[in-house]
Amino acid sequence: MKNLIPITKEIVTRIETLKHSTGLSPAQIAAVTPDWPANFNPENVYNWLSGRAASARQDHLAILISAYEEFEMDHVSTATVAEGLRAEKQRSGMSPRALFARAEHIPDGLTPDIVDEWLKGKLAPARRDHIEFVLGLWRQQPDSKTASIAVTQEMIEAIEGHRRRTGVGFYAILVGLKGAPGLRPGTLYQMVEGTTKTIRRNYYEFVLSAYEALPEKAELLTFSPEAVAPIRVEQSRTGLSISRLVRFQSDLPPGFCVRRMQRFINGYQSTVPHTHYEYLLSKYGQQITSNKSKSNT
C-alpha cells in the first residue's frame, strides 16, 4: 500500500486556496494535467476537503498540489481580478470592445467577449498574460469625464464648505452655466445628503470649479431696486442688453454669468458678486449713448 498521510487543516486550506486562485476544480485540473494517473480519481479530493476521508496517498496529494502550482504560474482565477478590471472599466468609461479597438498586437485567442466574461467575476481560469495585457491597456487610458466616481466625505465637505462660504445654493450656482449638460440641482442635493453614492466626475469637477470662482458671502451684493437702478439707467442710455455688452469681452471676471446677472437685474436672483456688478457698470460706462436714447432727451 502506498504511503498515507493525514489530511490536516493546513492541507485543506492549501488546496482550497489553489482552487480559488486558479479557478479550477479538482476534476478540471486533472483534465488539463498531462499524465494524470489513471488510478487517481479527482473526485477523491472532495472527500479530503469535506472530512469524509482522514488520509490521502502521499503521491496523489503531491501530484494535485504540483499540478495546481504549475497551472497557477501561467493562469489566474478571474474571480480574483474581476474587481480590479471593473474599476478600470468604470474609471476609463471604456467597454472591452472600445478598448480592443485601440489595441495593437492582441494576444491570440483573446477577445472582448472573453473580457466580458471576466468582468462577471465567476470562478474560472484565465491566462495571466491575457489578464496583464487587458489591465495594462485599460490603465493606459485617461480618466473618463463622464464616468461615475464614488462620493466621498471629503467631496461632500468641499461642496458644502463652498456653499456656506459663498451663500450660493445649488439652484443659483447652476443658473446660466454651461459645460455639464444634464446636471440638475437635485443631483447635488442627493450627493450631499448621502442618498446617492456616485456622481459623474465632470459634474463634480464642474460644480467645484464654479464655486471656487465665487467670492466670499460678505462680498456679495444683495438685490434691491436701488442696487439695480444704475444698471437699468445704463441699459437705457446705451441700448445694450447685458449679453450684447459682454459678448466680445475677453476680460470677464471668473464665474461671470450673463443669465445670473440678468436674473439679478430682474429681481429673480437674490445676490451676485460685487466684482461682477462693478465690472458690468464699468463696461456700460465705456459705451457711447445710443441715437435712440439721444432722441428721447
Coordinates of all heavy atoms in Angstrom, one line a residue, residues 23-71:
G23 N -9.1 29.0 -10.3 CA -10.5 28.9 -10.8 C -10.8 27.5 -11.3 O -11.8 27.3 -12.1
L24 N -10.0 26.5 -10.9 CA -10.3 25.1 -11.4 C -10.7 24.2 -10.3 O -10.1 24.2 -9.2 CB -9.0 24.6 -12.1 CG -8.6 25.2 -13.4 CD1 -7.3 24.5 -13.9 CD2 -9.7 25.1 -14.4
S25 N -11.6 23.4 -10.6 CA -12.0 22.3 -9.6 C -11.0 21.2 -9.7 O -10.2 21.1 -10.7 CB -13.4 21.8 -10.0 OG -13.4 21.1 -11.2
P26 N -11.0 20.2 -8.8 CA -10.1 19.1 -8.9 C -10.2 18.3 -10.3 O -9.3 17.9 -10.9 CB -10.5 18.2 -7.8 CG -10.9 19.2 -6.7 CD -11.7 20.2 -7.5
A27 N -11.5 18.2 -10.7 CA -11.7 17.5 -12.0 C -11.1 18.3 -13.2 O -10.6 17.7 -14.1 CB -13.2 17.2 -12.2
Q28 N -11.3 19.6 -13.1 CA -10.7 20.4 -14.2 C -9.2 20.4 -14.2 O -8.6 20.4 -15.3 CB -11.3 21.8 -14.0 CG -12.8 22.0 -14.3 CD -13.3 23.3 -14.0 OE1 -12.9 23.9 -13.0 NE2 -14.3 23.8 -14.8
I29 N -8.6 20.5 -13.0 CA -7.1 20.5 -13.0 C -6.6 19.1 -13.5 O -5.6 19.1 -14.2 CB -6.6 20.8 -11.6 CG1 -5.1 21.1 -11.7 CG2 -6.8 19.7 -10.6 CD1 -4.7 22.3 -12.4
A30 N -7.3 18.1 -13.2 CA -7.0 16.7 -13.7 C -7.0 16.7 -15.2 O -6.2 16.1 -15.9 CB -7.8 15.7 -13.1
A31 N -8.1 17.3 -15.8 CA -8.3 17.3 -17.2 C -7.2 18.1 -18.0 O -6.9 17.7 -19.1 CB -9.7 17.9 -17.5
V32 N -6.6 19.1 -17.4 CA -5.6 19.9 -18.1 C -4.2 19.5 -17.8 O -3.2 20.1 -18.2 CB -5.8 21.4 -17.8 CG1 -7.2 21.8 -18.3 CG2 -5.6 21.7 -16.3
T33 N -4.0 18.4 -16.9 CA -2.7 18.0 -16.5 C -2.3 16.8 -17.3 O -2.9 15.7 -17.2 CB -2.7 17.7 -15.0 OG1 -3.1 18.8 -14.3 CG2 -1.3 17.3 -14.5
P34 N -1.2 16.9 -18.1 CA -0.7 15.7 -18.8 C -0.3 14.6 -17.8 O 0.2 14.8 -16.7 CB 0.5 16.2 -19.6 CG 0.3 17.7 -19.6 CD -0.4 18.1 -18.3
D35 N -0.5 13.4 -18.3 CA 0.0 12.2 -17.5 C -0.6 12.1 -16.1 O 0.0 11.7 -15.1 CB 1.5 12.2 -17.4 CG 2.2 12.2 -18.7 OD1 1.7 11.5 -19.6 OD2 3.2 12.9 -18.8
W36 N -1.9 12.6 -16.0 CA -2.6 12.4 -14.7 C -2.8 10.9 -14.5 O -3.3 10.2 -15.4 CB -3.9 13.1 -14.7 CG -4.7 13.1 -13.4 CD1 -5.6 12.2 -13.0 CD2 -4.6 14.1 -12.4 NE1 -6.0 12.5 -11.7 CE2 -5.5 13.7 -11.4 CE3 -3.9 15.3 -12.2 CZ2 -5.7 14.4 -10.2 CZ3 -4.1 16.0 -11.1 CH2 -4.9 15.6 -10.1
P37 N -2.4 10.4 -13.3 CA -2.5 8.9 -13.1 C -4.0 8.4 -13.2 O -4.9 9.0 -12.7 CB -2.1 8.8 -11.6 CG -1.3 10.0 -11.3 CD -1.9 11.1 -12.1
A38 N -4.1 7.3 -13.9 CA -5.4 6.8 -14.2 C -6.1 6.3 -12.9 O -7.3 6.2 -12.8 CB -5.3 5.6 -15.2
N39 N -5.2 5.9 -11.9 CA -5.8 5.4 -10.6 C -6.1 6.5 -9.6 O -6.4 6.2 -8.4 CB -4.8 4.4 -10.0 CG -3.5 4.9 -9.6 OD1 -3.2 6.1 -10.0 ND2 -2.7 4.1 -8.9
F40 N -5.9 7.8 -10.0 CA -6.2 8.9 -9.1 C -7.5 9.6 -9.6 O -7.5 10.4 -10.5 CB -5.0 9.9 -9.1 CG -5.2 11.1 -8.2 CD1 -6.2 11.2 -7.3 CD2 -4.3 12.1 -8.2 CE1 -6.4 12.2 -6.4 CE2 -4.4 13.2 -7.4 CZ -5.5 13.3 -6.5
N41 N -8.6 9.2 -8.9 CA -9.9 9.8 -9.2 C -9.9 11.2 -8.5 O -9.9 11.3 -7.3 CB -11.0 8.9 -8.7 CG -12.4 9.5 -9.1 OD1 -12.5 10.6 -9.6 ND2 -13.4 8.7 -8.9
P42 N -10.0 12.3 -9.3 CA -10.0 13.6 -8.7 C -11.2 13.9 -7.8 O -11.2 14.7 -6.9 CB -10.1 14.6 -9.9 CG -10.6 13.8 -11.0 CD -10.1 12.4 -10.8
E43 N -12.3 13.0 -7.9 CA -13.4 13.2 -7.0 C -13.0 12.8 -5.6 O -13.7 13.3 -4.6 CB -14.5 12.2 -7.5 CG -15.1 12.6 -8.8 CD -15.7 14.0 -8.8 OE1 -16.4 14.4 -7.8 OE2 -15.5 14.8 -9.8
N44 N -11.9 12.1 -5.4 CA -11.5 11.7 -4.1 C -11.1 13.0 -3.3 O -11.1 13.0 -2.0 CB -10.3 10.8 -4.1 CG -10.7 9.4 -4.6 OD1 -11.9 9.0 -4.5 ND2 -9.7 8.6 -5.1
V45 N -10.7 14.0 -4.0 CA -10.2 15.3 -3.4 C -11.3 15.9 -2.6 O -11.1 16.4 -1.5 CB -9.7 16.3 -4.4 CG1 -9.2 17.6 -3.8 CG2 -8.5 15.6 -5.2
Y46 N -12.6 15.7 -3.0 CA -13.7 16.3 -2.3 C -13.9 15.6 -1.0 O -14.3 16.2 0.0 CB -15.0 16.2 -3.1 CG -14.9 17.1 -4.4 CD1 -14.8 16.5 -5.6 CD2 -15.0 18.5 -4.3 CE1 -14.7 17.4 -6.8 CE2 -15.0 19.3 -5.4 CZ -14.9 18.7 -6.6 OH -14.8 19.5 -7.7
N47 N -13.5 14.3 -0.9 CA -13.6 13.6 0.3 C -12.5 14.2 1.3 O -12.8 14.3 2.5 CB -13.4 12.1 0.1 CG -14.5 11.4 -0.6 OD1 -15.6 11.9 -0.6 ND2 -14.2 10.4 -1.4
W48 N -11.4 14.5 0.8 CA -10.3 15.1 1.6 C -10.9 16.4 2.2 O -10.7 16.7 3.4 CB -9.1 15.4 0.9 CG -8.4 14.2 0.2 CD1 -8.7 12.9 0.3 CD2 -7.4 14.3 -0.8 NE1 -8.0 12.1 -0.5 CE2 -7.1 12.9 -1.2 CE3 -6.7 15.3 -1.4 CZ2 -6.2 12.6 -2.2 CZ3 -5.7 15.0 -2.4 CH2 -5.5 13.7 -2.7
L49 N -11.4 17.2 1.3 CA -11.8 18.6 1.7 C -13.0 18.6 2.7 O -13.2 19.5 3.5 CB -12.2 19.4 0.5 CG -11.0 19.6 -0.5 CD1 -11.5 20.4 -1.7 CD2 -9.8 20.3 0.1
S50 N -13.9 17.6 2.5 CA -15.1 17.6 3.4 C -14.9 16.9 4.7 O -15.8 17.0 5.6 CB -16.2 16.9 2.6 OG -15.9 15.5 2.4
G51 N -13.8 16.2 4.8 CA -13.5 15.5 6.1 C -14.0 14.0 6.0 O -13.8 13.3 7.0
R52 N -14.6 13.6 4.9 CA -15.0 12.2 4.8 C -13.9 11.3 4.7 O -14.0 10.1 5.1 CB -15.9 12.0 3.6 CG -17.3 12.7 3.8 CD -18.3 12.2 2.7 NE -17.9 12.6 1.3 CZ -18.2 13.7 0.7 NH1 -19.0 14.6 1.4 NH2 -17.8 14.0 -0.5
A53 N -12.7 11.8 4.3 CA -11.5 10.9 4.2 C -10.5 11.6 5.2 O -10.2 12.8 5.1 CB -11.0 10.8 2.8
A54 N -9.9 10.8 6.1 CA -9.0 11.3 7.1 C -7.6 11.3 6.5 O -6.7 12.0 7.1 CB -9.1 10.5 8.3
S55 N -7.3 10.6 5.5 CA -5.9 10.5 5.0 C -6.0 10.4 3.4 O -7.0 10.1 2.8 CB -5.2 9.2 5.5 OG -5.9 8.0 5.2
A56 N -4.8 10.6 2.9 CA -4.7 10.5 1.4 C -3.3 9.9 1.0 O -2.4 10.0 1.8 CB -4.8 11.9 0.8
R57 N -3.3 9.4 -0.2 CA -2.0 8.9 -0.7 C -1.0 10.1 -0.8 O -1.4 11.1 -1.4 CB -2.2 8.1 -2.0 CG -2.7 6.7 -1.8 CD -2.8 6.0 -3.1 NE -1.7 6.1 -4.0 CZ -1.5 5.3 -5.1 NH1 -2.4 4.4 -5.4 NH2 -0.5 5.5 -5.9
Q58 N 0.1 9.9 -0.3 CA 1.1 11.0 -0.4 C 1.4 11.4 -1.8 O 1.6 12.6 -2.1 CB 2.4 10.6 0.4 CG 3.4 11.7 0.5 CD 4.5 11.4 1.4 OE1 4.7 10.2 1.8 NE2 5.3 12.3 1.9
D59 N 1.6 10.4 -2.7 CA 1.9 10.7 -4.1 C 0.8 11.4 -4.8 O 1.0 12.3 -5.6 CB 2.3 9.4 -4.8 CG 1.3 8.4 -4.9 OD1 0.4 8.3 -3.9 OD2 1.2 7.5 -5.8
H60 N -0.5 11.0 -4.5 CA -1.6 11.7 -5.1 C -1.7 13.1 -4.6 O -2.0 14.0 -5.4 CB -2.9 10.9 -4.8 CG -3.1 9.7 -5.6 ND1 -4.2 8.9 -5.5 CD2 -2.3 9.1 -6.5 CE1 -4.1 7.8 -6.3 NE2 -2.9 7.9 -6.9
L61 N -1.5 13.4 -3.3 CA -1.6 14.7 -2.8 C -0.5 15.6 -3.5 O -0.7 16.7 -3.9 CB -1.4 14.7 -1.3 CG -1.4 16.1 -0.6 CD1 -2.7 16.8 -0.9 CD2 -1.1 15.9 0.9
A62 N 0.7 15.0 -3.6 CA 1.8 15.7 -4.3 C 1.5 16.1 -5.7 O 1.8 17.2 -6.2 CB 3.1 14.9 -4.2
I63 N 0.9 15.1 -6.4 CA 0.5 15.3 -7.8 C -0.5 16.5 -7.9 O -0.4 17.4 -8.8 CB -0.1 14.0 -8.4 CG1 1.1 13.0 -8.6 CG2 -0.8 14.3 -9.8 CD1 0.5 11.6 -9.0
L64 N -1.5 16.5 -7.0 CA -2.5 17.5 -7.0 C -1.9 18.9 -6.8 O -2.2 19.8 -7.6 CB -3.6 17.2 -6.0 CG -4.7 18.3 -5.9 CD1 -5.6 18.1 -7.1 CD2 -5.5 18.1 -4.6
I65 N -1.1 19.0 -5.7 CA -0.6 20.3 -5.4 C 0.4 20.8 -6.5 O 0.3 22.0 -6.9 CB 0.2 20.2 -4.0 CG1 -0.7 19.8 -2.9 CG2 0.9 21.5 -3.8 CD1 -1.8 20.9 -2.6
S66 N 1.2 19.9 -7.0 CA 2.1 20.2 -8.1 C 1.4 20.7 -9.3 O 1.8 21.7 -10.0 CB 3.0 19.1 -8.4 OG 3.9 19.4 -9.5
A67 N 0.3 20.0 -9.7 CA -0.5 20.4 -10.9 C -1.1 21.8 -10.7 O -1.1 22.6 -11.6 CB -1.6 19.3 -11.1
Y68 N -1.7 22.0 -9.5 CA -2.2 23.4 -9.3 C -1.2 24.4 -9.4 O -1.4 25.5 -10.0 CB -2.9 23.4 -7.9 CG -4.4 23.1 -7.9 CD1 -4.9 22.1 -7.1 CD2 -5.3 23.8 -8.8 CE1 -6.3 21.8 -7.1 CE2 -6.6 23.5 -8.8 CZ -7.1 22.5 -7.9 OH -8.5 22.2 -8.0
E69 N -0.1 24.2 -8.7 CA 1.0 25.2 -8.7 C 1.6 25.5 -10.0 O 1.9 26.7 -10.4 CB 2.1 24.8 -7.7 CG 1.7 24.8 -6.2 CD 2.7 24.4 -5.3 OE1 3.7 23.7 -5.7 OE2 2.6 24.7 -4.1
E70 N 1.7 24.4 -10.8 CA 2.3 24.6 -12.2 C 1.3 25.4 -13.0 O 1.6 26.3 -13.8 CB 2.5 23.3 -12.8 CG 3.2 23.4 -14.2 CD 3.6 22.1 -14.8 OE1 3.7 21.1 -14.0 OE2 3.9 22.0 -16.0
F71 N 0.0 25.1 -12.9 CA -1.1 25.8 -13.6 C -1.1 27.3 -13.2 O -1.3 28.2 -14.0 CB -2.4 25.2 -13.4 CG -3.5 25.7 -14.3 CD1 -3.7 25.2 -15.6 CD2 -4.4 26.7 -13.9 CE1 -4.7 25.7 -16.5 CE2 -5.4 27.2 -14.7 CZ -5.5 26.7 -16.0

